[in-house]
């Protein structure tokens, strides 16, 4: 009986992903909690878009790992309260490249490194690190981009006071087609509306 007989690749990948995120959480609980919420939002967007369950689960893992590169950002920058200086922000921006380097050898999910590298690209081409635009950006990264921005706006942060649901909704609507893929921005808006109608 092989040692991995009862462990699926999907299960193993999920467990490794959770372990990596827990490692970040030792020194940066905000990034851990943020990544978990972004993963949930991303999976919901994927489900509403109509992607099959296995693709939803892969997007969940990709989103869970999207900020893994922050493990290589100095603690004094990551843990700094308040607004970052321009030079510090440039350091933080490297986390998408660092994340792709960390994950590039995970061959069972070929797009993982590319998606992590691209999650701060913008639909209009004004993002980083490569200035990709539109469908040049992997679909999964376009999903994660809107999910991450929503959580960054509404979640607790060292850098800003959380926005209300209405303010976050207005920002996503305003940035649809520029920062965000309009298809996935519309789904995020629907999720916000559904959440508010349940209250």
């Amino acid at each position: 009986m092989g040692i991995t007989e009862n462990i699926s690749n999907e299960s193993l990948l999920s467990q490794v992903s959770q372990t990596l995120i827990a490692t970040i959480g030792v020194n940066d609980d905000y990034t851990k909690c943020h990544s978990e919420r972004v993963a949930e939002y991303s999976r919901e967007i994927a489900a509403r878009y109509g992607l099959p369950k296995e693709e939803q689960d892969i997007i969940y893992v990709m989103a869970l790992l999207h900020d893994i590169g922050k493990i290589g950002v100095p603690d004094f920058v990551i843990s700094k309260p308040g607004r970052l200086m321009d030079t510090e922000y440039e350091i933080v921006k490297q986390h998408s490249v660092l994340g792709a380097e960390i994950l590039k050898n995970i061959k069972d999910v070929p797009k993982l490194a590319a998606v992590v590298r691209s999650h701060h690209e913008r639909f209009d081409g004004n993002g980083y690190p490569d200035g990709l635009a539109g469908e040049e950006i992997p679909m999964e990264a376009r999903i994660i981009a809107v999910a991450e921005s929503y959580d960054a706006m509404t979640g607790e942060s060292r850098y800003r006071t959380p926005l209300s649901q209405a303010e976050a909704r207005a920002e996503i609507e305003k940035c649809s087609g520029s920062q965000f893929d309009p298809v996935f921005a519309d789904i995020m808006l629907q999720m916000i509306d559904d959440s508010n109608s349940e209250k």
Side-chain angles (χ1 to χ4, degrees):
M1 180 181 293
I3 194 167
T4 61
E5 185 173 321
N6 295 316
I7 303 176
S8 69
N9 285 344
E10 181 181 312
S11 173
L12 183 60
L13 180 61
S14 179
Q15 290 174 42
V16 170
S17 301
Q18 292 286 353
T19 301
L20 287 170
I21 292 303
T23 302
I24 288 183
V26 171
N27 292 320
D28 183 16
D29 191 57
Y30 168 77
T31 295
K32 175 181 179 291
C33 295
H34 165 71
S35 296
E36 290 169 344
R37 292 190 300 267
V38 171
E40 292 290 349
Y41 298 143
S42 296
R43 180 159 56 189
E44 177 66 15
I45 293 170
R48 291 184 182 225
Y49 184 59
L51 294 180
K53 175 70 163 56
E54 57 270 25
E55 290 187 41
Q56 296 171 32
D57 291 341
I58 290 296
I59 287 173
Y60 177 88
V61 170
M62 289 173 165
L64 195 64
L65 294 172
H66 78 277
D67 273 345
I68 192 69
K70 286 186 177 177
I71 202 167
V73 176
D75 287 346
F76 78 89
V77 175
I78 288 291
S79 60
K80 179 182 177 179
R83 190 173 181 84
L84 297 176
M85 296 171 55
D86 288 347
T87 52
E88 293 167 336
Y89 181 56
E90 289 301 317
I91 293 171
V92 171
K93 283 170 64 175
Q94 290 301 307
H95 78 277
S96 57
V97 176
L98 290 170
E101 282 295 308
I102 290 168
L103 300 170
K104 68 182 181 182
N105 291 321
I106 300 180
K107 305 301 184 187
D108 285 342
V109 188
K111 292 175 69 176
L112 177 59
V115 169
V116 168
R117 182 181 177 94
S118 300
H119 73 276
H120 280 293
E121 300 289 358
R122 290 172 49 112
F123 199 69
D124 62 8
N126 291 318
Y128 65 86
D130 301 309
L132 303 180
E135 294 188 3
E136 293 177 331
I137 306 165
M139 177 191 66
E140 298 88 346
R142 285 179 272 140
I143 290 174
I144 293 168
V146 69
E148 179 183 48
S149 292
Y150 170 73
D151 188 70
M153 287 188 281
T154 58
E156 292 297 326
S157 171
R158 304 182 189 92
Y159 311 122
R160 63 186 296 174
T161 302
L163 300 184
S164 68
Q165 290 284 307
E167 290 169 326
R169 190 192 191 288
E171 187 67 16
I172 291 171
E173 191 168 34
K174 183 181 79 171
C175 295
S176 177
S178 55
Q179 183 174 353
F180 307 124
D181 183 322
V183 172
F184 301 127
D186 283 349
I187 294 174
M188 188 76 246
L189 293 173
Q190 292 166 16
M191 288 165 58
I192 294 169
D193 292 343
D194 290 349
S195 176
N196 289 337
S197 69
E198 292 169 3
K199 294 178 181 177

